[in-house]
Amino acid sequence: MSRPLALVSLFIPLAVAALPAALPAAEPDLPKETTAKVLDADAAYLKAALDKPVSAKKLPYLRVATAMVALNGTDETRAQATKLSAALSTNKAKEAFDQLKPAAGPKGNAARLIATHKLTGESVMDHFDPAVGGGLNLFADLKALGTADPKAVEPSAVELMAARIAVLGEFNRLLPSSKADANEAKKKDWLKLNDDMTTQARTLAAEAAKGPKADKASLKKQAVALEGVCVECHNRLK
């Protein structure tokens, strides 16, 4: 689902204005406990990244992470995350991070956060890439889950991975690739595939959140289905 950065940046204002900012209410959202875990994990990701000066290459990754925290945080957390995002390219980043107190709250406005945190479709989907480059390694982890021995599956790791995919999906649906934005039919395809990805990721996270009681065979099966949606979107609308 990656796309040329220069092209994506041209379409952001139109895409955000034209597409709905929230998923249909009928779709399941993440369990509150899962949301809290994601907030803590993303804060830890930011803390580790800020141990070194923020390079121009890493800046987009970190802006996405601050937006992920802002999306599912309280108003106070959202304000703190937004302040951190603005400080990432300055010498005040660590000071701003120290003021960040992640706490789950009512969902924020994804479209507004895209603009405030300067997100692009490229930067959002880069978190599916390997951690060595700054991403969250989501696609490789998803693919590995689909071929894993169910007995070796760790529900807590699956819960976090799936929840992060779901959160990124809420931004990604508002940032269609240039190919997806070419006409109304392709835009509808983009929305359907992205919402399928987000819904399936939420369902996977909910099952994994059961911990020792999670159906590990089901986690594996769901991972294969979710990977299929990602691949289809990439092949059709890249």
Side-chain angles (χ1 to χ4, degrees), residues 63-85:
R63 282 178 172 160
V64 173
T66 60
M68 291 171 73
V69 172
L71 182 66
N72 289 303
T74 61
D75 288 344
E76 184 178 9
T77 295
R78 200 159 13 254
Q80 294 163 350
T82 300
K83 181 178 180 180
L84 172 58
S85 181

Side-chain angles (χ1 to χ4, degrees), residues 118-143:
K118 302 179 181 179
L119 307 190
T120 66
E122 182 81 4
S123 65
V124 168
M125 295 310 293
D126 275 349
H127 274 293
F128 283 77
D129 293 343
V132 66
L136 294 171
N137 207 57
L138 297 174
F139 188 73
D141 288 345
L142 179 63
K143 193 176 184 68

Side-chain angles (χ1 to χ4, degrees), residues 150-178:
K151 294 180 181 179
V153 171
E154 292 290 341
S156 59
V158 175
E159 180 185 8
L160 179 58
M161 173 199 68
R164 279 171 155 169
I165 292 174
V167 173
L168 290 171
E170 296 196 51
F171 293 121
N172 195 60
R173 79 186 309 269
L174 301 177
L175 296 167
S177 66
S178 55

